Amino acid sequence: AMQLYAERPALGEEIDGVWRWVSWTELRQRCESLACALSKELPPKSFISLYGSNSVDWLVVFFAALR
């Protein structure tokens, strides 16, 4: 499914009255990049607290933390 919908919008958010759309490919890249950085800085099985308003960035951090 990822390959089929790779460039289609996965998520969108309105910032200052303008909608910004994130493709499935960009979402995956951002999540993998952050997950890699977290794995280098945190010991295995660390706990992470995530607090913030709903946004694409919040979801990226959430998915990255799950990895």
Side-chain angles (χ1 to χ4, degrees), residues 32-43:
E32 287 178 352
S33 176
L34 182 57
C36 181
L38 289 173
S39 71
K40 291 178 182 177
E41 297 296 325
L42 299 173

Side-chain angles (χ1 to χ4, degrees), residues 7-67:
E7 297 310 316
R8 289 188 182 177
L11 299 168
E13 67 182 327
E14 185 179 10
I15 301 173
D16 297 327
V18 178
W19 278 90
R20 165 137 166 38
W21 297 96
V22 177
S23 71
W24 288 101
T25 299
E26 182 183 349
L27 179 61
R28 180 179 180 183
Q29 290 170 343
R30 289 176 61 183
C31 291
E32 287 178 352
S33 176
L34 182 57
C36 181
L38 289 173
S39 71
K40 291 178 182 177
E41 297 296 325
L42 299 173
K45 301 195 182 207
S46 293
F47 291 92
I48 296 174
S49 177
L50 177 57
Y51 178 79
S53 58
N54 291 341
S55 67
V56 172
D57 290 336
W58 189 97
L59 201 57
V60 168
V61 174
F62 176 77
F63 285 137
L66 291 177
R67 297 189 68 149

